[in-house]
Amino acid sequence: MSEDKSRHHAAEQQTADVSEAQIAVHWPEEDYFSPSNQFIAQANLADPGVFARFSLDNFPEYFKEFADLLDWYKYWETTFDASHPPFWRWFVGGRINACYNCVDRHLPRYRNKTAIHFVPEPENEAIQHLTYQELFVRVNEFAALLRDFGGLKAGDRVTLHMPMVAELPITMLACARLGVIHSQVFSGFSGKACGDRVSDSGSRLLITMDAYSRAGELIDHKQKADTAVMEAAGTGHQVDKVLIWQRYPGKYSSPTKLVEGRDVIINDVLKEFRGKRVEPVQMPAEAPLFLMYTSGTTGRPKGCQHSTGGYLAYVTWTSKYIQDIHPEDVYWCMADIGWITGHSYIVYGPLALAASSVVYEGVPMYPDAGRPWRIAENLDVNIFHTSPTAIRALRRNGPDEPAKYNFHFKHMTTVGEPIEPEVWKWYHTVVGKGEAVIVDTWWQTENGGFLCSTVPAIHKMKPGSTGPAIPGIHPVIYDDEGTELPGGSGRAGNICIRNPWPGSFQTIWKDPDRYVSQYYSRYCHDPASKDWRDWPYMAGDGAVQAADGYYRILGRIDDVINVAGHRLGTKEIESAALLVPDVAEAAVVPVADPIKGKVPDLYVSLKPGLVPSVKLANKVTASVVSQIGAIARPRRVVIVPDMPKTRSGKIMRRVLAAISNHQDPGDVSTLANPEIVEQIKELAR
Ligand code: PRX
């Protein structure tokens, strides 16, 4: 949709909401940067013929190449089954185990190679190097515990609320070995948020850790488990056991008491399972591997259900050819495993390729902005993966730090948000020392792996653009009326993917209707169609495609805000604010932020007769943090006498967003209460 048309459309419909894409920064087109010959010479994929092989004419069989990177117990019969659109099935009839592919199959060649480098946050604590053999032993022993002590079997769900420690991939892989569906909740999320996910997934077991180190503090994490269990109980769901890893084995590091009969210290019970081995369960390709909850357009987070065979094939292929991972590489993705990036590109993709993957416990800036570069130097990391937010923060706090350390990246990734060309160039010149290629990867929790990116040895890089689609992915941009924008038009619209792909989620856990309505209904002209061509996947992002075929992502077109590369539903934040009894109405809008990309501003109005106060604003903030977690903390809470409203009573978030972003709110004369705008401007100054 053109900007003009979009404005017209908004005015016409009195659109009350504002999207990230609408406040996106439009920077000019940049010049290209080329990958070095040295990089190209060693790259896993340098043959441009790949695009012809992965043309839409060859769909779906070209995805066989993805699945052939894996070891199958039983080869599949049908590559792609489209009989129940849009519930696609991949590699049907195949049998596989994800843990086997990430661990066991590497033992003959790589048993003594490091699988996981665990870097504790305190710098005086030794880095732990876990070999593939050690990973095999630990995963087996823990799988035996989960099965024989935890009573878990294939198809059961288990919630993990774990920090960034080696025990997290060990736990995930132990689940995968048994065919148990893991649902890891980001450790920074509150106990309440965890409890909601425990209940929604129907997990009888919650696996957590007593404590972990963050920004120099040993944080009591176990207390969140108590809240989570209570919260789940409030929804009528009972948790039988809480299994607790010790951050320091042999010592309980949390001040929160254990609950008798429910809480179990894993490190104690594990002793009984010493030397135990568990045969990997031969799972159907289509069996769910994990759930990953993410924010959507309604208040409730949704559990994206990812498959075993299709997902693993997709992350393995993209790790090999877009991340350019070779077994001899030391690869560090600084994301948190609690997000999809960590699942796909810390755990499953790199380990399926027998790489050494770094798991760093803490924050990048602790104790100073040189920390990541010391880790890179120490471990000789040569592939680095992080978000624009982290890059901006490292640049602001230590622009000259990378030059002080002797590390050399061949490849770097950015993911999660648009990256400003200026920031990209610092990443390239200073962090990459002018040697590393950069891939700007665009994708989502729902997608399993990358959708758009340059192929690093084939395409030139263009700062500020994600690049074309990866091989096998065929995007299209529609305007709001469903008309396809011509390729390379440079006009903004809604980006969709024409074809299904194996990494895509299978459904929303317990909510298949929402899966269809949110992602497929809008641009499907014939809901009765059995032809996959009629079911484009709608990503929910605004995008433009330049004449060279590169896409630029503008941001969310729905009421989701991407804060520091993490998705938050505005409705979730508003619901948390409304739990404070004094609050009558709440509205959240995205605000551009120099470090975090976007942050939420929260406007609230009070019930009649109540007086605004700082104390009350703090209470609202505290409610958001306890309901969701610190990452949802609003930049500020503005208490207003009334919300700007349409005549039909809809809150005009568009006006609030303009005020927060120091933009012109435009014509407000059609509001029911136009005079409120000036008052709010004063309050929000
Ligand atoms: O708006 C897009 C933005 O992040 C959203 C997906 O967030 P999440 O599911 O949490 O996954 C993040 C990591 C995969 C998208 O809808 N986004 C992701 N990558 C980029 C991006 N925006 C611009 N450029 C990117 N490279």
Side-chain angles (χ1 to χ4, degrees):
M1 184 168 65
S2 74
E3 279 165 59
D4 266 10
K5 207 164 161 197
S6 137
R7 263 196 295 272
H8 172 69
H9 203 74
E12 213 175 47
Q13 295 194 339
Q14 286 272 339
T15 302
D17 291 339
V18 67
S19 71
E20 283 192 343
Q22 282 168 295
I23 63 160
V25 183
H26 292 258
W27 45 71
E29 289 285 303
E30 290 281 329
D31 289 338
Y32 299 102
F33 288 70
S34 296
S36 70
N37 289 336
Q38 204 182 349
F39 178 82
I40 296 170
Q42 62 79 61
N44 281 327
L45 179 55
D47 169 18
V50 65
F51 291 100
R53 220 162 62 238
F54 284 81
S55 76
L56 214 43
D57 301 339
N58 297 331
F59 179 88
E61 284 307 321
Y62 57 60
F63 279 122
K64 178 178 179 304
E65 228 179 272
F66 285 50
D68 280 342
L69 292 176
L70 304 176
D71 285 5
W72 294 79
Y73 296 113
K74 182 172 171 283
Y75 212 63
W76 61 91
E77 288 131 23
T78 312
T79 304
F80 174 60
D81 170 8
S83 53
H84 298 289
F87 298 91
W88 320 118
R89 301 169 76 217
W90 287 93
F91 312 123
V92 185
R95 295 234 161 214
I96 191 164
N97 185 279
C99 176
Y100 177 86
N101 273 278
C102 291
V103 184
D104 306 43
R105 70 164 172 162
H106 303 319
L107 296 182
R109 285 183 70 183
Y110 299 117
R111 56 165 29 93
N112 290 325
K113 179 179 187 295
T114 298
I116 293 170
H117 293 285
F118 169 58
V119 183
E121 191 188 65
E123 233 170 339
N124 58 1
E125 254 180 65
I127 296 179
Q128 295 170 26
H129 311 276
L130 214 69
T131 64
Y132 273 95
Q133 175 65 21
E134 284 165 330
L135 182 63
F136 172 77
V137 169
R138 294 194 61 183
V139 165
N140 269 279
E141 291 177 353
F142 191 54
L145 184 153
L146 288 179
R147 184 189 60 190
D148 301 340
F149 178 81
L152 292 177
K153 56 176 189 327
D156 289 346
R157 279 81 55 209
V158 54
T159 298
L160 285 44
H161 195 206
M162 293 186 59
M164 283 289 286
V165 289
E167 285 80 358
L168 174 49
I170 289 170
T171 303
M172 290 161 64
L173 291 165
C175 290
R177 198 168 187 83
L178 298 170
V180 168
I181 304 167
H182 58 75
S183 168
Q184 153 71 6
V185 177
F186 171 54
S187 58
F189 274 144
S190 65
K192 145 94 173 95
C194 177
D196 289 344
R197 289 154 176 79
V198 165
S199 167
D200 189 78
S201 62
S203 302
R204 286 193 304 105
L205 246 69
L206 171 62
I207 306 179
T208 188
M209 187 166 249
D210 52 1
Y212 66 98
S213 198
R214 192 166 174 83
E217 218 186 299
L218 191 65
I219 293 188
D220 175 11
H221 189 57
K222 146 62 165 118
Q223 57 161 349
K224 287 186 174 174
D226 293 357
T227 311
V229 171
M230 213 170 65
E231 186 64 33
T235 67
H237 177 82
Q238 198 203 320
V239 173
D240 298 338
K241 283 193 181 76
V242 177
L243 304 188
I244 305 161
W245 286 101
Q246 288 171 327
R247 170 65 178 80
Y248 297 97
K251 181 174 139 198
Y252 182 59
S253 301
S254 160
T256 306
K257 283 205 180 68
L258 297 179
V259 175
E260 258 206 52
R262 186 198 76 184
D263 292 356
V264 177
I265 298 287
I266 293 171
N267 303 70
D268 291 343
V269 184
L270 253 184
K271 292 177 189 139
E272 294 163 32
F273 294 89
R274 227 195 113 256
K276 286 276 185 311
R277 299 289 179 264
V278 173
E279 265 310 297
V281 178
Q282 304 190 5
M283 299 301 290
E286 275 299 293
L289 178 61
F290 66 87
L291 304 179
M292 170 64 66
Y293 282 84
T294 190
S295 299
T297 48
T298 65
R300 218 160 49 82
K302 45 188 195 239
C304 294
Q305 178 185 315
H306 283 280
S307 73
T308 305
Y311 169 81
L312 196 63
Y314 199 75
V315 299
T316 305
W317 195 97
T318 48
S319 294
K320 181 162 182 177
Y321 296 117
I322 305 296
Q323 296 287 283
D324 200 52
I325 294 178
H326 302 59
E328 53 273 24
D329 289 325
V330 181
Y331 167 87
W332 182 15
C333 171
M334 213 165 62
D336 195 292
I337 298 175
W339 308 106
I340 191 72
T341 302
H343 274 51
S344 300
Y345 298 115
I346 298 178
V347 181
Y348 285 112
L351 296 183
L353 294 170
S356 303
S357 188
V358 178
V359 172
Y360 172 52
E361 178 179 29
V363 295
M365 228 68 69
Y366 184 81
D368 56 68
R371 184 69 192 278
W373 322 127
R374 287 199 287 284
I375 294 171
E377 180 184 77
N378 201 331
L379 295 174
D380 202 11
V381 172
N382 66 341
I383 306 182
F384 184 67
H385 187 153
T386 192
S387 65
T389 290
I391 303 168
R392 289 182 208 112
L394 288 163
R395 175 174 177 240
R396 172 178 283 190
N397 293 292
D400 306 321
E401 285 301 305
K404 298 181 188 161
Y405 298 93
N406 183 20
F407 66 89
H408 294 275
F409 297 148
K410 69 165 183 177
H411 182 296
M412 306 193 301
T413 300
T414 162
V415 62
E417 325 147 55
I419 182 165
E420 301 79 353
E422 198 196 324
V423 178
W424 190 100
K425 285 177 197 164
W426 180 79
Y427 195 33
H428 185 254
T429 317
V430 181
V431 179
K433 305 187 177 182
E435 302 162 347
V437 292
I438 297 183
V439 293
D440 179 341
T441 58
W442 169 71
W443 60 296
Q444 313 170 295
T445 305
E446 293 85 342
N447 311 149
F450 308 143
L451 293 179
C452 284
S453 166
T454 47
V455 177
I458 298 180
H459 294 119
K460 290 179 175 164
M461 307 159 242
K462 188 165 72 171
S465 292
T466 164
I470 71 155
I473 295 295
H474 299 275
V476 51
I477 298 181
Y478 291 112
D479 69 12
D480 273 352
E481 284 74 39
T483 310
E484 192 176 321
L485 297 182
S489 73
R491 281 165 57 199
N494 301 334
I495 188 164
C496 297
I497 310 297
R498 289 184 200 276
N499 61 295
W501 67 98
S504 185
F505 66 147
Q506 301 172 295
T507 187
I508 294 173
W509 183 254
K510 292 200 309 202
D511 204 349
D513 292 346
R514 199 167 159 207
Y515 166 80
V516 180
S517 64
Q518 189 160 336
Y519 300 96
Y520 292 98
S521 290
R522 178 140 177 208
Y523 294 114
C524 174
H525 300 300
D526 176 11
S529 171
K530 297 274 181 211
D531 186 341
W532 59 266
R533 289 170 195 81
D534 291 325
W535 294 88
Y537 166 82
M538 187 180 83
D541 277 336
V544 291
Q545 190 187 28
D548 59 9
Y550 284 41
Y551 293 92
R552 182 181 298 166
I553 304 300
L554 301 173
R556 304 287 311 186
I557 55 170
D558 53 14
D559 45 13
V560 167
I561 305 183
N562 192 337
V563 179
H566 301 139
R567 261 161 77 170
L568 295 170
T570 54
K571 296 276 189 295
E572 279 171 76
I573 302 175
E574 288 167 6
S575 312
L578 289 166
L579 287 178
V580 177
D582 317 43
V583 173
E585 289 175 309
V588 167
V589 294
V591 188
D593 180 86
I595 297 288
K596 294 180 169 178
K598 306 278 180 316
V599 289
D601 253 9
L602 173 53
Y603 290 83
V604 296
S605 67
L606 303 179
K607 290 186 179 151
L610 296 175
V611 185
S613 67
V614 174
K615 201 169 145 211
L616 191 49
N618 291 343
K619 222 162 116 183
V620 174
T621 300
S623 178
V624 174
V625 172
S626 77
Q627 291 293 309
I628 305 170
I631 75 161
R633 182 192 301 276
R635 180 181 70 148
R636 57 184 185 170
V637 174
V638 185
I639 303 179
V640 297
D642 194 7
M643 296 286 180
K645 289 194 184 129
T646 63
R647 295 221 171 93
S648 57
K650 254 186 152 186
I651 300 176
M652 290 292 280
R653 288 177 180 74
R654 179 169 67 75
V655 173
L656 298 173
I659 294 172
S660 279
N661 288 287
H662 308 293
Q663 292 168 347
D664 176 11
D667 179 13
V668 294
S669 61
T670 56
L671 293 187
N673 51 353
E675 70 290 345
I676 204 76
V677 177
E678 280 309 313
Q679 289 181 45
I680 296 177
K681 265 192 191 164
E682 277 303 307
L683 289 165
R685 200 176 278 279

